[in-house]
Amino acid sequence: MDNNVAERALKRAILHRKNALFYRTLHGAQVGDLFMSLIHTCQLCGVNSFDYLVELQRHARELAACPRGWMPWNYRETLARSVLPIRQSYDESLMAGKDTLRPSSGAS
């Protein structure tokens, strides 16, 4: 039996503690702790933490409305549900002969 997972988690916490010495304010330290926690949770869930954080910024309004749906372990399902209505309305506009996402070329 080994404890590699526990040792890696401790190593990450110790590295964060060293980095935290250089935070200028208490608020900055709290934000750093928040991001460290999110990134570590992403790694435990097998999620690319950079992609996850980018999607959180892209969907900030939806995140504020329902934070529970944007956790690292279930944000992909929420993202798929939020993109589906946009794709459906685009497909319907194409079938109607209108491409609303592309500018129409003016008659010259």
Side-chain angles (χ1 to χ4, degrees):
M1 191 189 309
D2 62 38
N3 61 352
N4 288 338
V5 175
E7 287 179 6
R8 275 186 260 132
L10 286 173
K11 203 180 234 185
R12 189 170 289 114
I14 291 168
L15 179 63
H16 177 68
R17 185 179 64 204
K18 285 182 185 178
N19 291 337
L21 292 173
F22 300 101
Y23 289 132
R24 298 180 85 184
T25 64
L26 181 59
H27 179 70
Q30 290 170 343
V31 171
D33 292 342
L34 173 80
F35 280 110
M36 186 201 125
S37 176
L38 281 173
I39 291 168
H40 183 64
T41 303
C42 285
Q43 290 173 347
L44 290 176
C45 295
V47 172
N48 182 329
S49 55
F50 181 77
D51 292 341
Y52 172 70
L53 293 172
V54 166
E55 292 302 333
L56 290 185
Q57 287 190 347
R58 284 185 182 156
H59 299 276
R61 189 171 297 148
E62 294 95 335
L63 171 63
C66 181
R68 182 177 291 169
W70 292 92
M71 294 293 136
W73 53 86
N74 66 352
Y75 86 99
R76 289 180 181 143
E77 292 85 16
T78 305
L79 185 61
R81 283 193 304 266
S82 70
V83 170
L84 187 60
I86 295 169
R87 189 171 295 149
Q88 285 175 344
S89 67
Y90 177 68
D91 290 344
E92 289 170 2
S93 69
L94 282 178
M95 293 176 82
K98 297 181 268 180
D99 191 350
T100 58
L101 296 180
R102 298 177 198 227
S104 60
S105 59
S108 313

XYZ file of all heavy atoms in Angstrom:
862
model
N 0.842 -1.164 0.000
C 0.000 0.000 0.000
C 0.900 1.245 0.000
O 1.903 1.301 0.675
C -0.876 -0.007 1.256
C -1.928 1.033 1.151
S -2.937 1.419 2.567
C -3.593 -0.030 3.230
N 0.527 2.235 -0.839
C 1.314 3.464 -0.858
C 0.392 4.661 -0.665
O -0.824 4.547 -0.730
C 2.120 3.594 -2.148
C 1.248 3.671 -3.379
O 0.189 4.307 -3.319
O 1.629 3.105 -4.415
N 0.996 5.779 -0.437
C 0.218 6.991 -0.191
C 0.642 8.119 -1.137
O 0.722 9.271 -0.743
C 0.336 7.416 1.270
C 1.760 7.725 1.661
O 2.679 7.487 0.885
N 1.945 8.263 2.844
N 0.895 7.770 -2.402
C 1.329 8.764 -3.386
C 0.314 9.886 -3.562
O 0.688 11.043 -3.720
C 1.612 8.100 -4.729
C 2.885 7.279 -4.691
O 3.744 7.506 -3.858
N 2.992 6.318 -5.591
N -0.973 9.556 -3.560
C -2.006 10.574 -3.748
C -1.953 11.587 -2.602
O -2.000 12.805 -2.823
C -3.402 9.926 -3.852
C -4.477 10.985 -3.914
C -3.475 9.024 -5.068
N -1.829 11.093 -1.387
C -1.769 11.993 -0.228
C -0.494 12.840 -0.261
O -0.531 14.032 0.037
C -1.832 11.187 1.061
N 0.621 12.220 -0.655
C 1.872 12.968 -0.718
C 1.811 14.061 -1.782
O 2.300 15.170 -1.574
C 3.039 12.018 -0.989
C 3.399 11.176 0.214
C 4.535 10.217 -0.071
O 5.129 10.286 -1.168
O 4.837 9.400 0.803
N 1.211 13.753 -2.939
C 1.082 14.762 -3.989
C 0.185 15.914 -3.534
O 0.457 17.075 -3.828
C 0.537 14.138 -5.272
C 1.652 13.531 -6.106
C 1.131 13.056 -7.441
N 0.960 11.619 -7.308
C -0.101 10.928 -7.649
N -1.121 11.522 -8.189
N -0.149 9.634 -7.480
N -0.878 15.599 -2.826
C -1.775 16.650 -2.326
C -1.045 17.539 -1.313
O -1.201 18.769 -1.336
C -3.019 16.032 -1.701
N -0.272 16.945 -0.437
C 0.497 17.728 0.534
C 1.550 18.594 -0.153
O 1.764 19.746 0.218
C 1.166 16.810 1.558
C 0.243 16.209 2.605
C 0.984 15.194 3.456
C -0.333 17.306 3.483
N 2.173 18.035 -1.189
C 3.179 18.779 -1.924
C 2.568 20.025 -2.562
O 3.147 21.108 -2.532
C 3.779 17.884 -3.004
C 5.136 18.272 -3.481
C 5.588 17.291 -4.542
C 6.925 16.723 -4.176
N 7.457 15.863 -5.232
N 1.383 19.870 -3.109
C 0.684 20.997 -3.733
C 0.336 22.051 -2.681
O 0.478 23.245 -2.919
C -0.577 20.497 -4.433
C -1.247 21.538 -5.272
C -2.334 20.969 -6.139
N -1.790 20.171 -7.219
C -1.958 18.855 -7.345
N -2.672 18.197 -6.489
N -1.426 18.201 -8.345
N -0.120 21.614 -1.523
C -0.471 22.558 -0.452
C 0.762 23.296 0.058
O 0.707 24.501 0.331
C -1.166 21.823 0.684
N 1.883 22.602 0.174
C 3.115 23.239 0.645
C 3.615 24.258 -0.371
O 4.030 25.364 -0.018
C 4.192 22.172 0.946
C 3.768 21.373 2.184
C 5.561 22.801 1.137
C 4.574 20.129 2.431
N 3.530 23.921 -1.665
C 3.929 24.861 -2.705
C 3.039 26.097 -2.677
O 3.518 27.226 -2.797
C 3.859 24.189 -4.080
C 4.217 25.067 -5.265
C 5.664 25.525 -5.173
C 3.991 24.311 -6.554
N 1.756 25.898 -2.475
C 0.841 27.038 -2.395
C 1.157 27.902 -1.168
O 1.107 29.135 -1.250
C -0.609 26.566 -2.345
C -1.577 27.688 -2.189
N -1.793 28.625 -3.165
C -2.356 28.048 -1.140
C -2.680 29.495 -2.742
N -3.033 29.174 -1.511
N 1.509 27.261 -0.071
C 1.844 28.032 1.139
C 3.068 28.906 0.889
O 3.107 30.070 1.289
C 2.092 27.084 2.304
C 2.328 27.807 3.616
C 2.555 26.866 4.756
N 3.782 26.127 4.505
C 4.044 24.930 5.028
N 3.175 24.342 5.810
N 5.165 24.318 4.768
N 4.056 28.372 0.168
C 5.242 29.170 -0.164
C 4.862 30.348 -1.063
O 5.329 31.467 -0.863
C 6.281 28.305 -0.878
C 7.022 27.368 0.011
C 8.034 26.616 -0.818
C 8.755 25.567 -0.020
N 9.704 24.818 -0.869
N 4.018 30.089 -2.065
C 3.599 31.162 -2.975
C 2.757 32.205 -2.256
O 2.794 33.385 -2.604
C 2.816 30.594 -4.157
C 3.692 29.779 -5.069
O 4.905 29.946 -5.102
N 3.090 28.878 -5.810
N 2.004 31.780 -1.257
C 1.104 32.686 -0.541
C 1.877 33.725 0.275
O 1.309 34.749 0.668
C 0.170 31.895 0.369
N 3.133 33.512 0.505
C 3.935 34.491 1.244
C 4.029 35.813 0.490
O 4.301 36.849 1.082
C 5.348 33.946 1.490
C 5.452 32.769 2.451
C 6.880 32.229 2.453
C 5.033 33.180 3.846
N 3.787 35.784 -0.809
C 3.980 36.976 -1.622
C 2.671 37.672 -1.997
O 2.682 38.585 -2.807
C 4.782 36.618 -2.877
C 6.131 36.066 -2.521
C 6.367 34.706 -2.551
C 7.151 36.918 -2.111
C 7.609 34.200 -2.196
C 8.387 36.415 -1.751
C 8.625 35.055 -1.794
N 1.566 37.240 -1.430
C 0.311 37.962 -1.664
C 0.390 39.295 -0.943
O 0.880 39.384 0.177
C -0.896 37.176 -1.142
C -1.222 35.950 -1.955
C -1.452 34.736 -1.334
C -1.307 36.004 -3.331
C -1.758 33.615 -2.068
C -1.612 34.881 -4.078
C -1.836 33.687 -3.445
O -2.138 32.593 -4.178
N -0.126 40.334 -1.594
C -0.012 41.670 -1.017
C -1.144 41.983 -0.042
O -0.979 42.795 0.858
C 0.015 42.696 -2.126
C 1.233 42.499 -3.022
C 1.265 43.486 -4.110
N 1.902 44.690 -3.581
C 2.026 45.793 -4.249
N 1.543 45.882 -5.455
N 2.616 46.840 -3.719
N -2.318 41.369 -0.242
C -3.455 41.670 0.626
C -4.125 40.372 1.063
O -3.919 39.315 0.466
C -4.503 42.532 -0.115
O -5.034 41.776 -1.203
C -3.903 43.827 -0.621
N -4.962 40.486 2.056
C -5.728 39.338 2.516
C -6.707 38.882 1.436
O -6.888 37.688 1.212
C -6.488 39.690 3.801
C -7.310 38.572 4.423
C -6.432 37.373 4.774
C -8.035 39.073 5.657
N -7.314 39.844 0.740
C -8.238 39.502 -0.347
C -7.508 38.736 -1.456
O -8.027 37.756 -1.998
C -8.889 40.764 -0.916
C -9.821 40.484 -2.049
N -11.033 39.840 -1.880
C -9.716 40.743 -3.367
C -11.626 39.714 -3.052
N -10.848 40.262 -3.971
N -6.294 39.182 -1.787
C -5.497 38.478 -2.793
C -5.197 37.043 -2.372
O -5.226 36.121 -3.187
N -4.935 36.846 -1.098
C -4.674 35.502 -0.584
C -5.929 34.635 -0.680
O -5.851 33.451 -1.021
C -4.192 35.581 0.861
N -7.083 35.214 -0.397
C -8.334 34.458 -0.490
C -8.631 34.062 -1.938
O -9.071 32.940 -2.201
C -9.489 35.266 0.093
C -9.405 35.419 1.590
C -10.410 36.408 2.149
O -10.971 37.229 1.427
N -10.630 36.336 3.454
N -8.379 34.976 -2.871
C -8.580 34.659 -4.286
C -7.608 33.563 -4.715
O -7.982 32.623 -5.422
C -8.414 35.929 -5.154
C -8.391 35.593 -6.630
C -9.523 36.912 -4.850
N -6.369 33.649 -4.273
C -5.391 32.610 -4.589
C -5.809 31.257 -4.041
O -5.658 30.224 -4.714
N -6.328 31.239 -2.832
C -6.819 29.990 -2.237
C -7.983 29.413 -3.037
O -8.069 28.204 -3.251
C -7.257 30.214 -0.792
C -6.096 30.533 0.134
O -4.940 30.252 -0.251
O -6.356 31.054 1.232
N -8.871 30.299 -3.484
C -10.016 29.860 -4.277
C -9.550 29.198 -5.571
O -10.000 28.100 -5.918
C -10.927 31.049 -4.590
C -12.064 30.752 -5.552
C -13.196 30.069 -4.811
C -12.526 32.008 -6.225
N -8.631 29.851 -6.270
C -8.141 29.275 -7.526
C -7.366 27.995 -7.300
O -7.455 27.057 -8.092
C -7.306 30.294 -8.300
C -8.147 31.265 -9.063
C -8.224 32.582 -8.676
C -8.884 30.854 -10.162
C -9.012 33.478 -9.366
C -9.672 31.742 -10.866
C -9.741 33.056 -10.470
N -6.573 27.931 -6.229
C -5.857 26.696 -5.935
C -6.834 25.549 -5.698
O -6.653 24.439 -6.192
C -4.977 26.859 -4.710
C -4.108 25.647 -4.456
S -3.552 25.597 -2.758
C -4.121 23.996 -2.287
N -7.898 25.832 -4.980
C -8.902 24.816 -4.707
C -9.597 24.360 -5.992
O -9.794 23.170 -6.223
C -9.930 25.369 -3.717
O -10.958 24.450 -3.507
N -9.967 25.315 -6.851
C -10.612 24.971 -8.121
C -9.693 24.144 -9.018
O -10.109 23.143 -9.604
C -11.045 26.229 -8.868
C -12.329 26.891 -8.406
C -12.519 28.214 -9.139
C -13.518 25.995 -8.618
N -8.447 24.558 -9.125
C -7.498 23.847 -9.986
C -7.248 22.442 -9.461
O -7.225 21.470 -10.228
C -6.193 24.656 -10.116
C -6.464 25.915 -10.931
C -5.082 23.831 -10.732
C -5.351 26.940 -10.912
N -7.094 22.297 -8.168
C -6.874 20.969 -7.592
C -8.105 20.080 -7.777
O -7.980 18.899 -8.105
C -6.515 21.086 -6.114
C -6.208 19.776 -5.485
N -5.129 19.004 -5.872
C -6.843 19.073 -4.520
C -5.124 17.884 -5.157
N -6.153 17.912 -4.328
N -9.289 20.637 -7.613
C -10.516 19.864 -7.827
C -10.622 19.425 -9.274
O -11.026 18.298 -9.566
C -11.753 20.684 -7.420
O -11.603 21.087 -6.059
C -13.025 19.880 -7.569
N -10.253 20.301 -10.203
C -10.253 19.931 -11.624
C -9.316 18.754 -11.875
O -9.667 17.808 -12.596
C -9.823 21.113 -12.491
S -11.057 22.384 -12.686
N -8.140 18.817 -11.298
C -7.184 17.731 -11.489
C -7.711 16.420 -10.925
O -7.537 15.360 -11.535
C -5.847 18.091 -10.866
C -5.131 19.186 -11.634
C -3.883 19.678 -10.932
O -3.643 19.380 -9.754
N -3.080 20.455 -11.643
N -8.362 16.468 -9.780
C -8.917 15.246 -9.193
C -10.052 14.669 -10.039
O -10.256 13.467 -10.065
C -9.424 15.522 -7.774
C -8.352 15.791 -6.728
C -8.996 16.156 -5.399
C -7.445 14.585 -6.560
N -10.783 15.552 -10.748
C -11.903 15.112 -11.590
C -11.469 14.775 -13.011
O -12.301 14.376 -13.832
C -12.980 16.195 -11.647
S -13.758 16.494 -10.066
N -10.200 14.968 -13.330
C -9.714 14.685 -14.674
C -10.123 15.729 -15.694
O -10.273 15.435 -16.871
N -10.313 16.974 -15.251
C -10.743 18.074 -16.111
C -9.559 19.002 -16.342
O -8.773 19.255 -15.424
C -11.901 18.852 -15.437
C -12.248 20.099 -16.197
C -13.107 17.966 -15.281
N -9.423 19.515 -17.558
C -8.394 20.499 -17.855
C -8.776 21.798 -17.148
O -9.783 22.422 -17.476
C -8.298 20.711 -19.365
C -7.206 21.688 -19.741
O -6.888 22.616 -19.007
N -6.623 21.458 -20.898
N -7.980 22.214 -16.184
C -8.340 23.366 -15.356
C -8.368 24.665 -16.154
O -9.215 25.523 -15.899
C -7.394 23.489 -14.162
O -6.051 23.543 -14.596
N -7.504 24.821 -17.141
C -7.516 26.040 -17.949
C -8.814 26.139 -18.750
O -9.463 27.184 -18.766
C -6.306 26.070 -18.889
C -6.251 27.308 -19.729
C -5.815 28.512 -19.185
C -6.648 27.291 -21.054
C -5.767 29.665 -19.948
C -6.612 28.437 -21.826
C -6.165 29.623 -21.275
N -9.196 25.036 -19.405
C -10.455 25.027 -20.171
C -11.646 25.310 -19.263
O -12.567 26.034 -19.639
C -10.652 23.688 -20.880
C -9.648 23.474 -21.998
O -9.046 24.472 -22.454
O -9.469 22.314 -22.407
N -11.628 24.734 -18.065
C -12.714 24.942 -17.110
C -12.842 26.414 -16.728
O -13.932 26.992 -16.776
C -12.479 24.080 -15.864
C -13.432 24.352 -14.742
C -14.769 23.997 -14.835
C -13.003 24.978 -13.578
C -15.657 24.249 -13.804
C -13.878 25.229 -12.540
C -15.202 24.860 -12.658
O -16.077 25.117 -11.629
N -11.727 27.046 -16.392
C -11.762 28.447 -15.982
C -12.169 29.365 -17.140
O -12.880 30.357 -16.940
C -10.405 28.861 -15.408
C -10.035 28.172 -14.089
C -8.606 28.498 -13.706
C -10.995 28.545 -12.986
N -11.763 29.014 -18.353
C -12.175 29.802 -19.522
C -13.690 29.716 -19.709
O -14.360 30.717 -19.956
C -11.431 29.322 -20.791
C -12.068 29.880 -22.059
C -9.964 29.716 -20.725
N -14.247 28.516 -19.576
C -15.698 28.358 -19.721
C -16.461 29.098 -18.623
O -17.538 29.632 -18.867
C -16.094 26.881 -19.755
C -15.631 26.149 -20.984
C -16.140 26.750 -22.287
O -17.216 27.387 -22.308
O -15.454 26.587 -23.299
N -15.900 29.141 -17.428
C -16.545 29.908 -16.358
C -16.618 31.390 -16.726
O -17.632 32.047 -16.469
C -15.792 29.746 -15.033
C -15.863 28.390 -14.347
C -15.154 28.460 -12.992
C -17.279 27.903 -14.184
N -15.564 31.911 -17.320
C -15.585 33.318 -17.714
C -16.534 33.557 -18.884
O -17.211 34.571 -18.924
C -14.184 33.789 -18.082
C -13.310 33.960 -16.871
C -12.008 34.654 -17.205
O -11.630 34.803 -18.352
N -11.309 35.081 -16.167
N -16.565 32.632 -19.826
C -17.451 32.800 -20.983
C -18.924 32.755 -20.593
O -19.758 33.361 -21.243
C -17.188 31.702 -22.010
C -15.944 31.909 -22.810
C -15.821 30.871 -23.873
N -14.594 31.058 -24.617
C -13.977 30.114 -25.282
N -14.487 28.893 -25.313
N -12.872 30.368 -25.931
N -19.242 32.014 -19.547
C -20.639 31.825 -19.141
C -20.878 32.391 -17.750
O -21.558 31.773 -16.927
C -20.996 30.332 -19.193
C -20.851 29.752 -20.556
N -21.836 29.838 -21.499
C -19.828 29.094 -21.146
C -21.438 29.252 -22.610
N -20.216 28.797 -22.421
N -20.351 33.563 -17.492
C -20.438 34.161 -16.156
C -21.887 34.399 -15.734
O -22.234 34.196 -14.569
C -19.655 35.467 -16.114
N -22.729 34.818 -16.658
C -24.131 35.093 -16.314
C -24.846 33.805 -15.896
O -25.551 33.769 -14.895
C -24.840 35.742 -17.499
C -26.212 36.257 -17.149
C -26.805 37.074 -18.261
N -25.978 38.269 -18.482
C -25.804 38.853 -19.652
N -26.381 38.390 -20.720
N -25.047 39.930 -19.756
N -24.634 32.731 -16.667
C -25.258 31.448 -16.321
C -24.687 30.900 -15.016
O -25.405 30.322 -14.215
C -25.062 30.417 -17.441
C -25.764 30.758 -18.726
C -24.853 31.484 -19.709
O -23.871 32.124 -19.265
O -25.146 31.444 -20.910
N -23.396 31.121 -14.801
C -22.740 30.675 -13.569
C -23.344 31.364 -12.353
O -23.626 30.723 -11.343
C -21.240 30.960 -13.646
C -20.424 30.765 -12.375
C -20.448 29.315 -11.937
C -19.009 31.237 -12.585
N -23.584 32.672 -12.469
C -24.175 33.414 -11.349
C -25.598 32.947 -11.069
O -26.026 32.912 -9.910
C -24.166 34.909 -11.652
N -26.326 32.556 -12.117
C -27.708 32.109 -11.938
C -27.792 30.727 -11.306
O -28.682 30.458 -10.504
C -28.430 32.109 -13.284
N -26.853 29.858 -11.654
C -26.909 28.474 -11.144
C -25.494 27.936 -10.930
O -24.974 27.183 -11.755
C -27.674 27.596 -12.130
S -27.824 25.895 -11.582
N -24.828 28.305 -9.843
C -23.449 27.853 -9.627
C -23.307 26.343 -9.475
O -22.275 25.780 -9.812
C -23.029 28.571 -8.344
C -24.174 29.341 -7.859
C -25.304 29.192 -8.806
N -24.346 25.700 -8.994
C -24.288 24.250 -8.777
C -24.030 23.487 -10.079
O -23.391 22.451 -10.084
C -25.593 23.778 -8.146
C -25.608 22.304 -7.832
C -26.884 21.913 -7.160
N -26.877 22.512 -5.829
C -27.915 22.550 -5.026
N -29.060 22.032 -5.418
N -27.842 23.102 -3.844
N -24.505 24.007 -11.190
C -24.334 23.332 -12.468
C -22.972 23.540 -13.107
O -22.680 22.939 -14.133
N -22.133 24.364 -12.518
C -20.844 24.689 -13.119
C -19.665 24.195 -12.281
O -18.577 24.764 -12.331
C -20.750 26.196 -13.351
C -21.695 26.636 -14.407
C -22.970 27.084 -14.237
C -21.474 26.634 -15.813
N -23.540 27.356 -15.448
C -22.649 27.104 -16.428
C -20.386 26.281 -16.619
C -22.759 27.222 -17.819
C -20.501 26.416 -17.981
C -21.671 26.874 -18.570
N -19.850 23.126 -11.536
C -18.749 22.521 -10.789
C -17.864 21.724 -11.759
O -18.325 21.305 -12.815
C -19.288 21.588 -9.708
C -20.051 22.304 -8.620
S -18.946 23.343 -7.675
C -19.910 24.807 -7.531
N -16.592 21.509 -11.417
C -15.697 20.813 -12.352
C -16.197 19.436 -12.790
O -15.910 19.005 -13.896
C -14.384 20.685 -11.566
C -14.411 21.814 -10.608
C -15.864 21.997 -10.236
N -16.956 18.753 -11.958
C -17.404 17.401 -12.313
C -18.674 17.386 -13.163
O -19.043 16.348 -13.685
C -17.608 16.547 -11.057
C -18.501 17.181 -10.042
C -19.861 17.108 -9.991
C -18.107 17.996 -8.948
N -20.332 17.838 -8.932
C -19.269 18.398 -8.262
C -16.872 18.441 -8.473
C -19.244 19.199 -7.139
C -16.860 19.242 -7.359
C -18.030 19.607 -6.712
N -19.363 18.520 -13.325
C -20.587 18.483 -14.130
C -20.746 19.668 -15.075
O -21.795 19.827 -15.686
C -21.817 18.372 -13.228
C -22.038 19.591 -12.377
O -21.216 20.481 -12.318
N -23.163 19.632 -11.704
N -19.722 20.479 -15.245
C -19.886 21.663 -16.098
C -20.035 21.304 -17.566
O -20.667 22.031 -18.325
C -18.735 22.652 -15.890
C -17.511 22.395 -16.738
C -17.294 23.117 -17.909
C -16.568 21.446 -16.375
C -16.173 22.890 -18.680
C -15.459 21.221 -17.135
C -15.259 21.938 -18.289
O -14.154 21.703 -19.054
N -19.492 20.173 -17.995
C -19.609 19.784 -19.406
C -21.057 19.509 -19.790
O -21.490 19.885 -20.882
C -18.751 18.560 -19.689
C -17.271 18.879 -19.661
C -16.441 17.667 -19.952
N -15.035 17.989 -19.899
C -14.119 17.182 -19.436
N -14.442 15.994 -18.995
N -12.859 17.554 -19.425
N -21.807 18.877 -18.905
C -23.221 18.628 -19.189
C -23.993 19.953 -19.242
O -24.831 20.159 -20.116
C -23.853 17.704 -18.141
C -23.334 16.279 -18.178
C -22.050 16.091 -17.388
O -21.709 16.978 -16.564
O -21.367 15.085 -17.601
N -23.705 20.848 -18.316
C -24.361 22.152 -18.304
C -24.000 22.933 -19.554
O -24.860 23.582 -20.165
C -23.957 22.945 -17.047
O -24.245 22.157 -15.891
C -24.674 24.264 -16.964
N -22.753 22.869 -19.954
C -22.305 23.555 -21.164
C -23.017 22.995 -22.393
O -23.465 23.752 -23.253
C -20.797 23.416 -21.296
C -20.116 24.154 -22.426
C -20.337 25.648 -22.270
C -18.647 23.838 -22.429
N -23.163 21.691 -22.467
C -23.859 21.077 -23.601
C -25.317 21.522 -23.639
O -25.863 21.775 -24.719
C -23.762 19.562 -23.514
N -25.951 21.624 -22.492
C -27.351 22.072 -22.452
C -27.487 23.540 -22.831
O -28.457 23.937 -23.460
C -27.948 21.849 -21.063
C -28.320 20.415 -20.788
C -29.188 20.327 -19.543
N -28.572 20.919 -18.369
C -27.865 20.257 -17.461
N -27.670 18.967 -17.598
N -27.361 20.884 -16.420
N -26.515 24.369 -22.456
C -26.619 25.797 -22.758
C -26.300 26.089 -24.218
O -26.788 27.066 -24.771
C -25.709 26.615 -21.845
O -24.357 26.402 -22.163
N -25.503 25.266 -24.868
C -25.149 25.474 -26.267
C -26.238 24.930 -27.185
O -26.465 25.460 -28.260
C -23.788 24.814 -26.580
C -23.505 24.796 -28.064
C -22.679 25.557 -25.845
N -26.982 23.935 -26.759
C -27.997 23.295 -27.592
C -29.065 24.268 -28.084
O -29.363 24.281 -29.277
C -28.633 22.121 -26.841
C -29.592 21.256 -27.624
C -28.893 20.623 -28.816
C -30.183 20.193 -26.733
N -29.670 25.133 -27.249
C -30.686 26.059 -27.768
C -30.133 27.021 -28.820
O -30.813 27.351 -29.780
C -31.154 26.822 -26.533
C -30.808 25.963 -25.381
C -29.592 25.198 -25.799
N -28.896 27.453 -28.661
C -28.292 28.352 -29.643
C -28.146 27.623 -30.977
O -28.475 28.149 -32.032
C -26.918 28.863 -29.139
C -27.110 29.718 -27.904
C -26.184 29.617 -30.234
C -25.834 30.056 -27.184
N -27.682 26.394 -30.916
C -27.499 25.611 -32.134
C -28.836 25.333 -32.804
O -28.959 25.403 -34.016
C -26.784 24.301 -31.795
C -26.371 23.524 -33.030
C -25.489 22.354 -32.691
N -24.240 22.828 -32.142
C -23.531 22.167 -31.236
N -23.942 21.021 -30.778
N -22.397 22.650 -30.790
N -29.869 25.040 -32.022
C -31.190 24.776 -32.593
C -31.750 26.010 -33.283
O -32.293 25.927 -34.375
C -32.159 24.302 -31.515
C -31.926 22.888 -31.088
C -32.818 22.495 -29.924
O -33.396 23.334 -29.244
N -32.930 21.192 -29.692
N -31.615 27.194 -32.672
C -32.149 28.403 -33.301
C -31.371 28.730 -34.573
O -31.937 29.203 -35.548
C -32.123 29.581 -32.336
O -30.800 29.945 -32.037
N -30.084 28.442 -34.590
C -29.284 28.672 -35.794
C -29.728 27.728 -36.912
O -29.896 28.143 -38.055
C -27.804 28.485 -35.484
C -26.908 28.624 -36.695
C -26.757 29.856 -37.315
C -26.230 27.532 -37.209
C -25.947 29.999 -38.423
C -25.416 27.671 -38.318
C -25.275 28.904 -38.919
O -24.480 29.034 -40.012
N -29.956 26.454 -36.570
C -30.419 25.489 -37.566
C -31.786 25.883 -38.119
O -32.035 25.767 -39.321
C -30.486 24.084 -36.965
C -29.097 23.509 -36.677
O -28.109 24.051 -37.220
O -29.017 22.539 -35.898
N -32.670 26.370 -37.251
C -33.997 26.797 -37.714
C -33.895 27.996 -38.646
O -34.609 28.075 -39.643
C -34.887 27.134 -36.515
C -35.306 25.915 -35.728
C -35.971 26.268 -34.405
O -36.146 27.476 -34.123
O -36.294 25.346 -33.653
N -32.991 28.925 -38.355
C -32.852 30.086 -39.235
C -32.267 29.679 -40.583
O -32.615 30.247 -41.614
C -31.988 31.162 -38.580
O -30.650 30.737 -38.479
N -31.384 28.676 -40.594
C -30.851 28.196 -41.860
C -31.951 27.548 -42.706
O -32.014 27.748 -43.919
C -29.724 27.186 -41.625
C -28.371 27.748 -41.254
C -27.387 26.619 -41.011
C -27.849 28.683 -42.316
N -32.819 26.781 -42.049
C -33.899 26.118 -42.773
C -34.884 27.143 -43.332
O -35.501 26.924 -44.366
C -34.607 25.111 -41.870
C -33.715 23.938 -41.505
S -34.507 22.826 -40.373
C -35.483 21.872 -41.509
N -35.012 28.284 -42.662
C -35.910 29.334 -43.132
C -35.244 30.201 -44.200
O -35.855 31.121 -44.717
C -36.362 30.200 -41.965
N -33.989 29.910 -44.498
C -33.292 30.665 -45.529
C -32.580 31.888 -45.018
O -32.093 32.703 -45.788
N -32.497 32.047 -43.691
C -31.820 33.203 -43.111
C -30.624 32.718 -42.308
O -30.780 31.888 -41.425
C -32.759 33.976 -42.183
C -33.954 34.570 -42.869
C -34.784 35.331 -41.867
C -35.820 34.390 -41.302
N -36.695 34.966 -40.324
N -29.477 33.208 -42.632
C -28.278 32.903 -41.850
C -28.011 34.106 -40.966
O -27.382 35.071 -41.363
C -27.097 32.624 -42.768
C -25.911 32.054 -42.012
O -25.950 32.052 -40.773
O -24.953 31.607 -42.656
N -28.547 34.059 -39.734
C -28.480 35.218 -38.835
C -27.093 35.467 -38.267
O -26.816 36.561 -37.802
C -29.461 35.045 -37.660
O -29.128 33.842 -36.966
C -30.886 34.991 -38.162
N -26.229 34.469 -38.307
C -24.904 34.652 -37.720
C -23.901 35.236 -38.714
O -22.834 35.657 -38.335
C -24.384 33.321 -37.178
C -25.184 32.733 -36.040
C -24.572 31.417 -35.589
C -25.255 33.687 -34.868
N -24.231 35.252 -39.979
C -23.333 35.808 -40.981
C -23.939 37.067 -41.572
O -25.136 37.097 -41.850
C -23.089 34.787 -42.088
C -22.425 33.551 -41.575
C -22.285 32.558 -42.689
N -22.059 31.255 -42.108
C -21.125 30.427 -42.507
N -20.374 30.753 -43.510
N -20.980 29.272 -41.924
N -23.123 38.067 -41.769
C -23.681 39.296 -42.342
C -24.104 39.058 -43.785
O -23.447 38.343 -44.526
C -22.508 40.284 -42.259
C -21.291 39.466 -42.104
C -21.725 38.170 -41.463
N -25.219 39.651 -44.121
C -25.695 39.488 -45.493
C -24.925 40.441 -46.394
O -24.574 41.554 -46.000
C -27.186 39.774 -45.581
O -27.418 41.106 -45.169
N -24.631 39.980 -47.587
C -23.908 40.843 -48.512
C -24.904 41.779 -49.159
O -25.961 41.368 -49.627
C -23.182 39.997 -49.565
O -24.119 39.213 -50.270
N -24.607 43.042 -49.121
C -25.492 44.055 -49.677
C -25.513 43.995 -51.190
O -24.529 43.607 -51.823
N -26.616 44.319 -51.785
C -26.702 44.318 -53.235
C -25.954 45.518 -53.785
O -26.169 46.636 -53.364
C -28.171 44.373 -53.669
N -25.025 45.249 -54.670
C -24.240 46.346 -55.226
C -24.694 46.691 -56.598
O -25.095 45.947 -57.360
C -22.766 45.987 -55.337
O -22.283 45.421 -54.188
